[in-house]
Amino acid sequence: MIIGVLALQGDTREHLHALAELDVIARPVRRTDELDSVDALIIPGGESTAMSKLAIEFGMTEPLRKRIAGGMPTYGSCAGMIMLAGTILDGRADQVPFGGIDMTVRRNAFGRQVDSFEGTVDISDIEGGPFSAVFIRAPWVESVGPDVRVLGRVSDGAAAGRIVAVRQQHLLATAFHPELTGDLRVHRYFVEMAREAGQTTEG
């Protein structure tokens, strides 16, 4: 199994490092031939509007949409969550998401860069206690469709109760950056999702 990390813009290196720590073969993905060579994909944090623009320029938008809709396991963190959303609030008019998760996401919901913070998040399906989650100009999920499972909410503070982790079948998204903490549990969870999907396909 090979997991790609979209390398158009954002913190690609940190995700590649986390996957290497889990002994997973990981590759950066910038072109359609590289996308074709991977079994699953991580869309990193970064700047969602720049990511959208570069995806269009590199001819990646439609191939990504096709693979995601076709069942490729995909995980989006922060900007990646925005790119997997069906609807974006407070985005730019020319911003084109890849879609896949039936959710409405508010961009920069927690504020600007200076408002970045760490908060506690409990995630169902993942054992080991709460996450110390890093939020950097993060989105949150305003609403989800009937097929979306809410996995995590902010535990305390002004944003308590806000949805920050979701899953819809083969798609996973978090508003926070697990790749910046050294806590590999979210990546391990996604790797298991990808392996299960591969076994289902082979079966």
Side-chain angles (χ1 to χ4, degrees):
M1 183 182 67
I2 301 172
I3 296 182
V5 180
L6 190 64
L8 298 176
Q9 193 272 342
D11 54 348
T12 304
R13 182 177 60 183
E14 291 83 355
H15 282 289
L16 289 169
H17 178 74
L19 292 169
E21 288 284 305
L22 295 172
D23 294 323
V24 174
I25 300 172
R27 296 176 181 167
V29 171
R30 297 183 183 87
R31 304 188 304 268
T32 54
D33 61 322
E34 293 170 339
L35 177 63
D36 291 340
S37 72
V38 302
D39 304 295
L41 184 72
I42 292 176
I43 305 172
E47 173 49 61
S48 62
T49 53
M51 201 177 292
S52 170
K53 181 179 178 180
L54 289 167
I56 293 169
E57 290 181 2
F58 279 72
M60 291 288 286
T61 303
E62 290 308 316
L64 280 163
R65 284 181 164 182
K66 185 176 180 180
R67 286 293 308 274
I68 291 167
M72 176 179 65
T74 306
Y75 165 47
S77 66
C78 197
M81 170 182 265
I82 295 169
M83 295 304 293
L84 287 175
T87 303
I88 302 171
L89 302 179
D90 295 334
R92 287 177 42 146
D94 59 349
Q95 186 170 358
V96 181
F98 306 137
I101 299 181
D102 183 12
M103 63 180 174
T104 297
V105 168
R106 185 172 298 280
R107 183 172 168 266
N108 293 344
F110 289 98
R112 298 180 176 273
Q113 191 86 12
V114 294
D115 300 311
S116 301
F117 70 101
E118 287 194 35
T120 302
V121 177
D122 284 297
I123 299 184
S124 55
D125 292 358
I126 301 180
E127 297 178 350
F131 284 81
S132 181
V134 176
F135 294 88
I136 303 173
R137 295 180 64 196
W140 66 44
V141 179
E142 291 274 350
S143 62
V144 298
D147 295 327
V148 179
R149 291 176 54 211
V150 174
L151 298 182
R153 299 174 183 265
V154 177
S155 301
D156 47 34
R162 291 294 184 179
I163 300 170
V164 291
V166 297
R167 178 176 177 177
Q168 183 173 349
Q169 298 172 336
H170 60 289
L171 304 176
L172 176 69
T174 65
F176 55 90
H177 293 263
E179 73 280 6
L180 299 180
T181 65
D183 188 333
L184 297 174
R185 287 179 291 162
V186 172
H187 288 85
R188 187 176 290 112
Y189 179 76
F190 177 63
V191 168
E192 289 305 313
M193 282 176 54
R195 284 182 176 143
E196 289 170 8
Q199 290 168 0
T200 301
T201 302
E202 290 171 5

